[in-house]
PDB file of all heavy atoms in Angstrom:
ATOM      1  N   ASP U  10     -14.214  -8.224   0.810  1.00 68.00           N
ATOM      2  CA  ASP U  10     -13.738  -7.891   2.150  1.00 68.00           C
ATOM      3  C   ASP U  10     -12.944  -9.088   2.654  1.00 68.00           C
ATOM      4  O   ASP U  10     -13.282 -10.238   2.382  1.00 68.00           O
ATOM      5  CB  ASP U  10     -14.914  -7.675   3.114  1.00 68.00           C
ATOM      6  CG  ASP U  10     -15.746  -6.453   2.773  1.00 68.00           C
ATOM      7  OD1 ASP U  10     -15.366  -5.703   1.852  1.00 68.00           O
ATOM      8  OD2 ASP U  10     -16.774  -6.250   3.432  1.00 68.00           O
ATOM      9  N   ASN U  11     -11.895  -8.835   3.399  1.00 76.00           N
ATOM     10  CA  ASN U  11     -11.003  -9.865   3.932  1.00 76.00           C
ATOM     11  C   ASN U  11     -10.252 -10.623   2.848  1.00 76.00           C
ATOM     12  O   ASN U  11      -9.737 -11.702   3.086  1.00 76.00           O
ATOM     13  CB  ASN U  11     -11.735 -10.828   4.871  1.00 76.00           C
ATOM     14  CG  ASN U  11     -12.259 -10.111   6.089  1.00 76.00           C
ATOM     15  OD1 ASN U  11     -11.560  -9.276   6.669  1.00 76.00           O
ATOM     16  ND2 ASN U  11     -13.481 -10.392   6.467  1.00 76.00           N
ATOM     17  N   GLY U  12     -10.214 -10.038   1.638  1.00 82.00           N
ATOM     18  CA  GLY U  12      -9.434 -10.605   0.550  1.00 82.00           C
ATOM     19  C   GLY U  12      -8.343  -9.624   0.144  1.00 82.00           C
ATOM     20  O   GLY U  12      -8.306  -8.479   0.593  1.00 82.00           O
ATOM     21  N   ILE U  13      -7.452 -10.084  -0.715  1.00 92.00           N
ATOM     22  CA  ILE U  13      -6.377  -9.218  -1.188  1.00 92.00           C
ATOM     23  C   ILE U  13      -6.986  -8.136  -2.075  1.00 92.00           C
ATOM     24  O   ILE U  13      -7.677  -8.426  -3.039  1.00 92.00           O
ATOM     25  CB  ILE U  13      -5.317 -10.019  -1.963  1.00 92.00           C
ATOM     26  CG1 ILE U  13      -4.642 -11.024  -1.034  1.00 92.00           C
ATOM     27  CG2 ILE U  13      -4.273  -9.080  -2.579  1.00 92.00           C
ATOM     28  CD1 ILE U  13      -3.725 -12.003  -1.746  1.00 92.00           C
ATOM     29  N   ILE U  14      -6.730  -6.879  -1.707  1.00 92.00           N
ATOM     30  CA  ILE U  14      -7.224  -5.751  -2.489  1.00 92.00           C
ATOM     31  C   ILE U  14      -6.079  -4.937  -3.084  1.00 92.00           C
ATOM     32  O   ILE U  14      -6.301  -4.059  -3.903  1.00 92.00           O
ATOM     33  CB  ILE U  14      -8.141  -4.820  -1.659  1.00 92.00           C
ATOM     34  CG1 ILE U  14      -7.389  -4.174  -0.490  1.00 92.00           C
ATOM     35  CG2 ILE U  14      -9.379  -5.574  -1.183  1.00 92.00           C
ATOM     36  CD1 ILE U  14      -8.186  -3.097   0.245  1.00 92.00           C
ATOM     37  N   GLN U  15      -4.831  -5.252  -2.664  1.00 96.00           N
ATOM     38  CA  GLN U  15      -3.698  -4.435  -3.073  1.00 96.00           C
ATOM     39  C   GLN U  15      -2.434  -5.281  -3.170  1.00 96.00           C
ATOM     40  O   GLN U  15      -2.213  -6.171  -2.365  1.00 96.00           O
ATOM     41  CB  GLN U  15      -3.494  -3.330  -2.037  1.00 96.00           C
ATOM     42  CG  GLN U  15      -2.340  -2.392  -2.289  1.00 96.00           C
ATOM     43  CD  GLN U  15      -2.162  -1.459  -1.118  1.00 96.00           C
ATOM     44  OE1 GLN U  15      -1.594  -1.836  -0.098  1.00 96.00           O
ATOM     45  NE2 GLN U  15      -2.674  -0.243  -1.248  1.00 96.00           N
ATOM     46  N   MET U  16      -1.603  -4.941  -4.163  1.00 97.00           N
ATOM     47  CA  MET U  16      -0.251  -5.479  -4.288  1.00 97.00           C
ATOM     48  C   MET U  16       0.668  -4.263  -4.248  1.00 97.00           C
ATOM     49  O   MET U  16       0.436  -3.291  -4.964  1.00 97.00           O
ATOM     50  CB  MET U  16      -0.072  -6.219  -5.605  1.00 97.00           C
ATOM     51  CG  MET U  16      -1.089  -7.344  -5.809  1.00 97.00           C
ATOM     52  SD  MET U  16      -0.803  -8.741  -4.771  1.00 97.00           S
ATOM     53  CE  MET U  16       0.302  -9.668  -5.773  1.00 97.00           C
ATOM     54  N   SER U  17       1.709  -4.324  -3.409  1.00 98.00           N
ATOM     55  CA  SER U  17       2.546  -3.156  -3.198  1.00 98.00           C
ATOM     56  C   SER U  17       4.018  -3.462  -3.448  1.00 98.00           C
ATOM     57  O   SER U  17       4.502  -4.550  -3.113  1.00 98.00           O
ATOM     58  CB  SER U  17       2.361  -2.655  -1.765  1.00 98.00           C
ATOM     59  OG  SER U  17       3.069  -1.469  -1.561  1.00 98.00           O
ATOM     60  N   TYR U  18       4.711  -2.472  -3.998  1.00 98.00           N
ATOM     61  CA  TYR U  18       6.108  -2.607  -4.385  1.00 98.00           C
ATOM     62  C   TYR U  18       6.898  -1.413  -3.863  1.00 98.00           C
ATOM     63  O   TYR U  18       6.449  -0.269  -3.992  1.00 98.00           O
ATOM     64  CB  TYR U  18       6.232  -2.649  -5.913  1.00 98.00           C
ATOM     65  CG  TYR U  18       5.422  -3.762  -6.514  1.00 98.00           C
ATOM     66  CD1 TYR U  18       4.056  -3.593  -6.768  1.00 98.00           C
ATOM     67  CD2 TYR U  18       5.992  -5.004  -6.780  1.00 98.00           C
ATOM     68  CE1 TYR U  18       3.296  -4.628  -7.291  1.00 98.00           C
ATOM     69  CE2 TYR U  18       5.228  -6.041  -7.305  1.00 98.00           C
ATOM     70  CZ  TYR U  18       3.879  -5.842  -7.554  1.00 98.00           C
ATOM     71  OH  TYR U  18       3.126  -6.863  -8.060  1.00 98.00           O
ATOM     72  N   VAL U  19       8.065  -1.676  -3.286  1.00 98.00           N
ATOM     73  CA  VAL U  19       8.979  -0.598  -2.895  1.00 98.00           C
ATOM     74  C   VAL U  19       9.925  -0.392  -4.071  1.00 98.00           C
ATOM     75  O   VAL U  19      10.517  -1.352  -4.587  1.00 98.00           O
ATOM     76  CB  VAL U  19       9.750  -0.932  -1.608  1.00 98.00           C
ATOM     77  CG1 VAL U  19      10.760   0.161  -1.292  1.00 98.00           C
ATOM     78  CG2 VAL U  19       8.789  -1.100  -0.445  1.00 98.00           C
ATOM     79  N   VAL U  20      10.034   0.863  -4.498  1.00 98.00           N
ATOM     80  CA  VAL U  20      10.828   1.197  -5.682  1.00 98.00           C
ATOM     81  C   VAL U  20      11.866   2.254  -5.330  1.00 98.00           C
ATOM     82  O   VAL U  20      11.690   3.041  -4.405  1.00 98.00           O
ATOM     83  CB  VAL U  20       9.924   1.689  -6.828  1.00 98.00           C
ATOM     84  CG1 VAL U  20       8.942   0.584  -7.249  1.00 98.00           C
ATOM     85  CG2 VAL U  20       9.166   2.955  -6.457  1.00 98.00           C
ATOM     86  N   LYS U  21      12.944   2.273  -6.085  1.00 98.00           N
ATOM     87  CA  LYS U  21      14.007   3.261  -5.873  1.00 98.00           C
ATOM     88  C   LYS U  21      13.581   4.624  -6.393  1.00 98.00           C
ATOM     89  O   LYS U  21      13.861   5.647  -5.782  1.00 98.00           O
ATOM     90  CB  LYS U  21      15.276   2.799  -6.573  1.00 98.00           C
ATOM     91  CG  LYS U  21      16.502   3.634  -6.227  1.00 98.00           C
ATOM     92  CD  LYS U  21      17.746   3.125  -6.906  1.00 98.00           C
ATOM     93  CE  LYS U  21      18.215   1.873  -6.211  1.00 98.00           C
ATOM     94  NZ  LYS U  21      19.546   1.413  -6.607  1.00 98.00           N
ATOM     95  N   ASP U  22      12.900   4.646  -7.558  1.00 98.00           N
ATOM     96  CA  ASP U  22      12.493   5.898  -8.217  1.00 98.00           C
ATOM     97  C   ASP U  22      11.030   5.761  -8.629  1.00 98.00           C
ATOM     98  O   ASP U  22      10.709   5.077  -9.595  1.00 98.00           O
ATOM     99  CB  ASP U  22      13.386   6.146  -9.431  1.00 98.00           C
ATOM    100  CG  ASP U  22      13.047   7.400 -10.203  1.00 98.00           C
ATOM    101  OD1 ASP U  22      11.895   7.882 -10.144  1.00 98.00           O
ATOM    102  OD2 ASP U  22      13.952   7.909 -10.897  1.00 98.00           O
ATOM    103  N   ILE U  23      10.155   6.405  -7.886  1.00 98.00           N
ATOM    104  CA  ILE U  23       8.717   6.248  -8.111  1.00 98.00           C
ATOM    105  C   ILE U  23       8.276   6.772  -9.477  1.00 98.00           C
ATOM    106  O   ILE U  23       7.394   6.196 -10.107  1.00 98.00           O
ATOM    107  CB  ILE U  23       7.910   6.874  -6.946  1.00 98.00           C
ATOM    108  CG1 ILE U  23       6.531   6.220  -6.848  1.00 98.00           C
ATOM    109  CG2 ILE U  23       7.838   8.395  -7.076  1.00 98.00           C
ATOM    110  CD1 ILE U  23       5.829   6.476  -5.521  1.00 98.00           C
ATOM    111  N   HIS U  24       8.900   7.839  -9.958  1.00 98.00           N
ATOM    112  CA  HIS U  24       8.529   8.387 -11.266  1.00 98.00           C
ATOM    113  C   HIS U  24       8.912   7.421 -12.386  1.00 98.00           C
ATOM    114  O   HIS U  24       8.123   7.194 -13.314  1.00 98.00           O
ATOM    115  CB  HIS U  24       9.136   9.774 -11.461  1.00 98.00           C
ATOM    116  CG  HIS U  24       8.559  10.792 -10.526  1.00 98.00           C
ATOM    117  ND1 HIS U  24       7.321  11.368 -10.727  1.00 98.00           N
ATOM    118  CD2 HIS U  24       9.033  11.290  -9.360  1.00 98.00           C
ATOM    119  CE1 HIS U  24       7.061  12.185  -9.726  1.00 98.00           C
ATOM    120  NE2 HIS U  24       8.076  12.158  -8.878  1.00 98.00           N
ATOM    121  N   ALA U  25      10.101   6.828 -12.291  1.00 98.00           N
ATOM    122  CA  ALA U  25      10.512   5.830 -13.276  1.00 98.00           C
ATOM    123  C   ALA U  25       9.607   4.601 -13.206  1.00 98.00           C
ATOM    124  O   ALA U  25       9.248   4.021 -14.242  1.00 98.00           O
ATOM    125  CB  ALA U  25      11.971   5.437 -13.060  1.00 98.00           C
TER     126      ALA U  25
END
Side-chain angles (χ1 to χ4, degrees):
D10 293 355
N11 297 317
I13 296 171
I14 63 172
Q15 179 186 79
M16 304 288 272
S17 185
Y18 303 83
V19 176
V20 298
K21 189 178 285 191
D22 179 336
I23 204 164
H24 293 282

